[in-house]
Each structure stands twice: as C-alpha cells, then as structure tokens.
Amino acid sequence: MGKDTISDTITSIRNADMNRKETVRILSTNITENIVKILLREGFIENVRKHRESDKYFLVLTLRHRRNRKGSYKTIFNLKRISKPGLRLYSNYQRIPRILGGMGIVILSTSQGIMTDREARLERIGGEILCYIW
C-alpha cells in the first residue's frame, strides 16, 4: 500500500477480479467509501461491509462474477486510474468523456463530492477525473 489510496483500491479490486476472488479487503477512507458506494449502486459489486482490525477500518467487498456456458469465469469490469498525484486531470461538465458510448462510467471528484459522469452532467459541474470503469 502506497500513499495513493485510490490507486491502491482500484488495483486491489482489479487483481481480485482477475484472480476470481470472491472478496477483497481494502483500507477504509472517505474517498474509498464513496467510490465503493458508487460501485455498489452501479452494480459492479454485490455487497460491502465494514470490518475493524485493531485500530483500522477495512471495507470487505463481495465481487460479482459471471459464468460462461463452459463454466469459466469472465472478469466483469475494468478499472483504470486517470488522474494521478503527479498529473491531475480536470474537466468541465461538457468535456467529461463518455466511456463505451455511455456504457461505462467515469468517477469524478467535484465540489459537491464524488459522483459519476451522469450525475455531474445533470448537476452541470466538472471536477477531477479519478477513474474509468467499464
């Protein structure tokens, strides 16, 4: 775990999904809790519960998997970190990118809190582009 909690969260979820793990444990911060709420609301994960070990809180995510007819698992979603601590990317509401023609979502950090691209367009506010999910 490094100092960029968003990248750590995205990498942990992506690795657990690629290795077909059912659950993944990530460190709980305000930003990660808001991102996980968006993932839960959009249907990318099944369940979230808060877990405490010693003096730290963790979020335990239950991932959603899909089976093919042959019984093999496919990864449900892809995550990509866009704005990094070394290079922040900002966008106004008119220039927020559409992922797969609107099939994917963009998570933004705005003055109104962390929200999806659809919510930011409705509110007509821009912000920092945190990640893409498709």
Side-chain angles (χ1 to χ4, degrees):
M1 293 248 178
K3 294 189 183 220
D4 187 12
T5 57
I6 298 170
S7 289
D8 292 339
T9 300
I10 289 172
T11 303
S12 296
I13 294 171
R14 185 185 319 120
N15 290 342
D17 189 47
M18 285 180 2
N19 290 323
R20 291 177 257 168
K21 303 278 186 191
E22 290 190 18
T23 61
V24 61
R25 188 181 79 161
I26 58 173
L27 190 63
S28 177
T29 62
N30 288 336
I31 293 174
T32 57
E33 284 184 17
N34 289 328
I35 290 173
V36 166
K37 283 179 188 175
I38 289 174
L39 290 175
L40 184 65
R41 189 175 62 225
E42 295 289 327
F44 289 107
I45 57 177
E46 284 185 21
N47 192 12
V48 180
R49 65 184 165 88
K50 205 166 192 175
H51 178 67
R52 182 178 181 188
E53 278 185 26
S54 62
D55 60 343
K56 292 186 179 181
Y57 285 97
F58 293 94
L59 295 174
V60 180
L61 313 177
T62 306
L63 300 179
R64 183 171 297 216
H65 292 286
R66 177 175 68 190
R67 280 186 179 246
N68 284 353
R69 290 184 206 170
K70 298 177 183 176
S72 65
Y73 283 96
K74 269 187 120 172
T75 57
I76 273 295
F77 58 97
N78 295 313
L79 296 114
K80 184 177 181 186
R81 176 83 156 118
I82 301 302
S83 184
K84 299 174 181 158
L87 178 64
R88 304 283 186 188
L89 292 174
Y90 298 93
S91 175
N92 62 9
Y93 76 94
Q94 296 165 333
R95 295 185 185 212
I96 297 172
R98 294 187 190 271
I99 307 301
L100 294 177
M103 297 288 289
I105 62 171
V106 178
I107 296 180
L108 294 116
S109 176
T110 66
S111 59
Q112 303 291 318
I114 295 179
M115 60 180 64
T116 65
D117 56 338
R118 286 179 232 123
E119 295 168 345
R121 283 190 197 97
L122 286 174
E123 298 280 330
R124 292 180 167 244
I125 52 176
E128 181 183 358
I129 299 174
L130 296 178
C131 61
Y132 296 158
I133 302 170
W134 72 94

